[in-house]
Structures are given as structure tokens and as C-alpha cells.
Amino acid sequence: QKEVEQNSGPLSVPEGAIASLNCTYSDRGSQSFFWYRQYSGKSPELIMSIYSNGDKEDGRFTAQLNKASQYVSLLIRDSQPSDSATYLCAVNGGYSTLTFGKGTMLLVSP
Amino acid sequence: GAVVSQHPSWVICKSGTSVKIECRSLDFQATTMFWYRQFPKQSLMLMATSNEGSKATYEQGVEKDKFLINHASLTLSTLTVTSAHPEDSSFYICSARRGTGLIGELFFGEGSRLTVL
């Protein structure tokens, strides 16, 4: 059973701070990793994808992957109230469908 | 990002009726689409994988005769909830994979909120 684990939160950070979201996965053969943002009542939106060890930056977002530790994280710099949402980690082990974590709720207070 | 359109966004129906939800990939061809269901404050639950030109693959516990999936073209998949009951009320979300294999990215439609009275 492939599993993707996330802390459900909520993770509360003040506006302007760095939010750090973490995810671990069980399938050591996983090759591609994704972060989705889901606002309440809306469908998920892809914000980052990462395929190799290390950091990948896109604007205020940085994804970090450590395959040896089976760990992927998402950093959000200069957090804004509009970043408040549930962040879903998803893992793809190959040609199979993505396995999603249950998501971490992020609350950014003004 | 890629655009996946889902229709209708909201639907209310009477118990016992059938409801069809359409999912279209607007700017890319998708040989594979996925249908998810999400109950309030719960995570996404994969219902089935829709493959263009062949039968859908259903997840364990999902009734294939109740949730009919058709993927007739590379840009359109439909989910029909047959003989809907109140317990089928949920948020149904489709997704389509752009690209193939390990680098394929999954994009979601806007979702369809079904309420069965």
C-alpha cells in the first residue's frame, strides 16, 4: 500500500513569514512529486512539481526533495493571507496514478 | 497551466435520477483521465481511471454499474451517476494527465458539486 503522509494542521503562520509544509512517502520507487493547493470548496491547483533531489524554486515557492529520506517539502516565503488553503502532496511511482496525502491546512494571519 | 473544464459546476437532482458530468481537456489531449470524489473536510478519493477507447478501471469499493464512465475521445470523459441517492452527494472532480509516464502532470477540472435530494 503506497502511502503519502502529511500533518493535517492547521499550520498557522503570520503574514510575511515562511511556511514550511512537509510530506513523507512510503514507495521508495517514487519518481515524481507534486504540490497542489486547494481552497475550500474548490478543486486542487498544481503549484509545483519536482523530479530530482534538491531544491526547485518558483517565485515564492520552493520545493525540496530528498529521495534517500523519502521526504518532500514546500516552503512558501513571504506568506500572504491569500495563501491560506489546504496543500496536498502527491507522489507518482511510475505509470500509475498519483497517490495523494490528506493535505495540510495552512492559515496565514494578517 | 493546462485547462481542464468540468460541467456542470453544481447539480441538484431527485433521488433515483441519473446525472452526467462532463470533463474536457481544452488545450491538450489526454489519453488518461481520472475521477475523484471528495466529501467535506476529507481527502481526495480516486474513483476510477478513464482510458480513451477502453473500459475504465475502478478502485476497490466503487460500483462500476453505478458510476458509468465513458472516455470516447482524447479530450472528453463523462461520469454518469445512475440512480443517485442522498449518500452520493459529494464533490466530484475530474483530472487529466498532460504528458506521459513520470513527467506527466495532472490538472484538475473545477469540480462538480452534486446534491441528491
Side-chain angles (χ1 to χ4, degrees):
Chain A
Q1 181 77 12
K2 299 176 183 178
E3 294 183 348
V4 177
E5 299 289 340
Q6 293 182 258
N7 188 317
S8 61
L11 172 65
S12 296
V13 300
E15 183 175 358
I18 296 175
S20 178
L21 303 160
N22 305 314
C23 172
T24 58
Y25 57 95
S26 63
D27 183 6
R28 187 169 287 278
S30 299
Q31 295 292 323
S32 49
F33 307 86
F34 306 89
W35 282 99
Y36 288 83
R37 176 176 62 197
Q38 186 175 24
Y39 292 111
S40 181
K42 302 294 184 181
S43 64
E45 172 191 11
L46 179 65
I47 54 174
M48 288 287 285
S49 57
I50 186 167
Y51 306 102
S52 55
N53 280 327
D55 295 359
K56 178 181 178 182
E57 186 174 320
D58 184 0
R60 295 187 296 113
F61 299 98
T62 298
Q64 299 175 318
L65 175 61
N66 184 325
K67 290 185 179 180
S69 300
Q70 295 175 238
Y71 174 93
V72 59
S73 65
L74 179 70
L75 300 178
I76 306 174
R77 289 181 299 281
D78 188 24
S79 295
Q80 300 297 309
S82 58
D83 294 326
S84 297
T86 295
Y87 289 80
L88 303 171
C89 172
V91 174
N92 183 358
Y95 290 88
S96 60
T97 185
L98 293 184
T99 301
F100 282 87
K102 293 186 177 181
T104 298
M105 180 183 293
L106 172 66
L107 298 176
V108 181
S109 54
Chain B
V3 179
V4 177
S5 176
Q6 194 171 335
H7 176 81
S9 300
W10 294 84
V11 58
I12 300 173
C13 69
K14 293 182 178 180
S15 185
T17 60
S18 295
V19 174
K20 179 185 284 188
I21 302 170
E22 293 187 347
C23 179
R24 295 179 185 273
S25 56
L26 298 184
D27 56 355
F28 66 98
Q29 293 183 330
T31 55
T32 305
M33 291 185 175
F34 304 90
W35 288 94
Y36 292 84
R37 180 167 55 183
Q38 188 174 38
F39 293 105
K41 300 189 185 300
Q42 299 293 316
S43 61
L44 291 169
M45 292 176 54
L46 179 65
M47 299 175 66
T49 302
S50 171
N51 301 297
E52 187 268 337
S54 64
K55 292 183 179 179
T57 304
Y58 290 81
E59 296 299 301
Q60 190 172 9
V62 178
E63 300 175 56
K64 63 179 181 181
D65 294 330
K66 181 170 184 60
F67 299 100
L68 301 179
I69 292 173
N70 184 278
H71 194 155
S73 76
L74 288 172
T75 59
L76 173 64
S77 176
T78 61
L79 167 68
T80 301
V81 183
T82 63
S83 187
H85 291 283
E87 57 265 31
D88 297 323
S89 299
S90 187
F91 191 42
Y92 292 87
I93 315 173
C94 73
S95 64
R97 180 188 295 279
R98 184 179 68 181
T100 58
L102 297 176
I103 62 172
E105 294 177 326
L106 202 64
F107 294 92
F108 286 88
E110 306 95 329
S112 299
R113 192 165 301 281
L114 171 64
T115 301
V116 184
L117 302 176

